[in-house]
Amino acid sequence: MFSRRQLLQRAGLGFGSLALADMVSAAPSAEAPTSASLGGLPGLPHFAPKAKRVIFLFMSGGPSHLESFDYKPYLNEKQGVEFPESLRKGKMLPGMAGSQSYFPLVGSPYKYAQHGKSGAWVSSVFPETAKVVDDLCFVKSMFSEAVNHDPALTFLQTGSPLPGRPSIGAWVSYGLGTDNRDLPSFIVLISKRGVDQPLSARLWDSGFLPTQYQGVQFRAAKDPVLYLSEPAGVARQDTRNMLDALNKLHAHEHAIRQDAAINSRIEQYEMAFRMQASVPEVTDISGEPEHIYEMYGKDAKKPGSFAANCILARRLAEKNVKFIQLYHPGWDHHGGLPRDFAMGASEIDQPCAALIKDLKQRDMLKDTLVIWGGEFGRTSYSQGSITKGDIPSFGRDHHRGCFTFWMAGGGIKGGMTYGETDELGYTIARDPVHVNDFHATLLHLLGVNHERLTFRFQGRDFRLTDVAGNVVKPLLA
């Protein structure tokens, strides 16, 4: 015979904290507008959503807007010319090149061309993305407040440069709940490649929100979620019997204490039990048709590659997972940019385009919001020398003043470009979009008024957009 405490301790050994952390409450809200949604706040969504789910393709490290989608021929014309003093205004330049005495302008080594009916400018290292530009909305006037990686990553993912706030996915899960009781509502995938900047789990943490809203990382390994599988020698039916017995004990205690947390606790165990069946099924992409692998590119069958993660993201979207976050590191190009940027682009270009086409052919793009971008952009001047001998080897420093995102589907107006930078790609010339504005727009597409999604913590109400943010209405279809 076990005591209740011993039974609780032994029951948790095979389920792992990550699996338990992404639980949802058992009962749907009586006021929820969508009967399929479970665990969301009463009254949410605030209005009819355009997007049911989000896939965020995050390029960690700060990809250069000048080598991707923000065409600046003036930089090539003026290559080697000193960066204008008028833009420095006597201040130290942001980033890590403060010790430089000379800041030569440098143009992109890649050719640009216009594509699609929209005539969007795209670098030659993104040939597949160029084929889907009429589905994309390029936002070329993003700007941030943080210029170093950790605070900039944190700011983009949580709305604050300081750690401790809930991530976007956690806010979405807290407000809207889940449409699939067998999988976490917020799932994180990280490309299995060299990492130039560390990715901390607090980027997908729930912060001061209840822990069931934090993101769950799926790994490219035998056990996609750590400690989820049964311990050696334990049969699944034995676990089922144990949970049934545990449930009776909880029901008995609830009858005495009338504590809602008791019911929530047993549902956490039940969710982990369901995940033991649902996670292996959804993460096994081996049954995908050959034409899907060909669509996503040469790395599609390589576990943990960005291509494989994009296929998995589409499968999770089909299962109505609410927020799917992909991280692809490798974009911190302080040197060797002409070679290394093209290598990074070759890893993500075809999978990104394939994801758009795949969702579209399944009639899912219309209600799936896909986002591409990083934590900041790069400078229009070279960090270090432009060449090493006769070989272009320059780098670009961090730049928070302007960078480019693209968005597609889920209520976004495709085939357009919003915002503009100056001829150097250094300052915003038109229609700035702050990170808080981006967050407000994302929530709006999900049917959420960003000013009304709040959580009281330490005596005041917090929200993803803090005390700022405006919906960028021209982006909306």
Side-chain angles (χ1 to χ4, degrees):
M1 291 292 292
F2 296 123
S3 69
R4 183 176 182 278
R5 182 179 297 276
Q6 289 172 323
L7 188 57
L8 278 169
Q9 291 172 336
R10 297 194 179 201
L13 292 178
F15 290 132
S17 59
L18 285 178
L20 297 180
D22 221 88
M23 262 308 303
V24 295
S25 61
S29 166
E31 299 181 44
T34 306
S35 60
S37 182
L38 299 170
L41 294 178
L44 281 172
H46 296 126
F47 43 84
K50 297 289 187 180
K52 293 181 179 179
R53 64 198 73 85
V54 176
I55 300 176
F56 195 166
L57 310 173
F58 195 81
M59 305 294 113
S60 171
S64 171
H65 55 297
L66 302 170
E67 267 66 47
S68 52
F69 307 111
D70 200 1
Y71 180 41
K72 297 299 170 186
Y74 184 80
L75 290 177
N76 294 87
E77 295 172 13
K78 299 296 182 180
Q79 182 149 312
V81 174
E82 174 76 0
F83 183 72
E85 178 63 30
S86 60
L87 292 177
R88 297 184 63 173
K89 299 178 181 178
K91 299 178 181 179
M92 181 179 292
L93 292 170
M96 302 174 63
S99 61
Q100 281 187 218
S101 58
Y102 178 56
F103 298 89
L105 298 176
V106 59
S108 174
Y110 314 125
K111 293 182 178 180
Y112 272 77
Q114 288 180 284
H115 297 270
K117 294 179 180 179
S118 60
W121 288 98
V122 180
S123 164
S124 60
V125 295
F126 292 101
E128 297 301 319
T129 303
K131 297 176 183 178
V132 297
V133 291
D134 288 338
D135 291 310
L136 310 183
C137 172
F138 292 95
V139 182
K140 295 187 177 180
S141 52
M142 288 284 297
F143 72 102
S144 180
E145 296 175 8
V147 75
N148 290 322
H149 290 287
D150 190 75
L153 280 163
T154 305
F155 187 45
L156 209 297
Q157 296 299 331
T158 70
S160 169
L162 300 176
R165 299 283 184 90
S167 59
I168 310 171
W171 277 111
V172 170
S173 298
Y174 165 68
L176 297 176
T178 182
D179 295 326
N180 186 331
R181 290 190 60 199
D182 296 333
L183 287 168
S185 58
F186 177 19
I187 293 175
V188 176
L189 307 171
I190 301 176
S191 298
K192 201 171 183 179
R193 72 180 311 281
V195 176
D196 49 358
Q197 294 297 327
L199 293 169
S200 169
R202 60 181 170 77
L203 295 174
W204 50 92
D205 192 51
S206 59
F208 45 69
L209 295 176
T211 56
Q212 65 259 38
Y213 302 114
Q214 73 184 41
V216 174
Q217 183 182 347
F218 280 18
R219 309 176 309 141
K222 180 181 178 181
D223 291 325
V225 179
L226 289 171
Y227 313 119
L228 183 64
S229 59
E230 300 284 7
V234 176
R236 184 164 176 79
Q237 186 57 48
D238 291 339
T239 301
R240 180 68 269 166
N241 295 338
M242 177 272 295
L243 286 176
D244 290 342
L246 183 60
N247 198 8
K248 292 179 180 178
L249 291 173
H250 273 106
H252 177 72
E253 184 172 3
H254 184 267
I256 298 172
R257 296 173 53 192
Q258 296 296 308
D259 184 355
I262 296 173
N263 289 336
S264 177
R265 191 175 303 122
I266 190 61
E267 180 60 17
Q268 290 178 358
Y269 289 115
E270 292 289 346
M271 174 59 156
F273 183 76
R274 295 192 297 271
M275 284 175 62
Q276 288 182 329
S278 62
V279 169
E281 184 274 329
V282 75
T283 56
D284 180 9
I285 68 171
S286 62
E288 290 285 329
E290 193 63 32
H291 73 270
I292 292 295
Y293 292 125
E294 293 173 359
M295 180 189 295
Y296 282 85
K298 60 183 177 61
D299 293 331
K301 293 184 179 181
K302 182 179 177 182
S305 67
F306 183 77
N309 283 349
C310 281
I311 295 176
L312 179 52
R314 187 265 295 161
R315 291 170 64 88
L316 292 169
E318 287 181 301
K319 298 290 187 180
N320 287 318
V321 172
K322 189 70 71 177
F323 202 95
I324 306 154
Q325 177 93 55
L326 277 66
Y327 286 94
H328 187 75
W331 299 95
D332 191 23
H333 297 131
H334 291 280
L337 183 148
R339 178 198 63 194
D340 295 341
F341 189 93
M343 290 174 58
S346 70
E347 294 173 354
I348 65 105
D349 175 45
Q350 186 169 347
C352 285
L355 180 61
I356 298 298
K357 291 185 286 187
D358 201 2
L359 290 169
K360 194 172 183 180
Q361 72 183 5
R362 297 167 194 270
D363 199 31
M364 292 177 60
L365 185 60
K366 64 184 181 184
D367 55 14
T368 303
L369 176 62
V370 183
I371 304 165
W372 182 98
E375 65 265 37
F376 43 56
R378 314 301 288 202
T379 55
S380 50
Y381 54 81
S382 173
Q383 183 172 7
S385 300
I386 295 177
T387 62
K388 189 174 183 179
D390 295 329
I391 302 173
S393 64
F394 67 89
R396 297 191 190 273
D397 204 355
H398 306 170
H399 187 55
R400 66 188 174 192
C402 56
F403 53 102
T404 299
F405 266 41
W406 61 249
M407 306 168 75
I412 284 292
K413 188 183 297 181
M416 71 167 290
T417 294
Y418 183 81
E420 184 181 344
T421 58
D422 66 6
E423 60 185 0
L424 300 178
Y426 187 77
T427 61
I428 295 173
R430 177 173 55 85
D431 299 326
V433 178
H434 188 269
V435 169
N436 292 145
D437 301 328
F438 162 68
H439 289 157
T441 306
L442 186 159
L443 290 177
H444 178 86
L445 291 165
L446 291 166
V448 177
N449 181 332
H450 71 103
E451 295 181 339
R452 294 170 58 192
L453 179 59
T454 63
F455 187 89
R456 181 159 287 270
F457 176 67
Q458 292 185 341
R460 81 168 178 93
D461 291 334
F462 285 83
R463 67 184 204 226
L464 174 61
T465 51
D466 198 36
V467 294
N470 294 291
V471 175
V472 187
K473 294 182 179 179
L475 305 184
L476 310 180

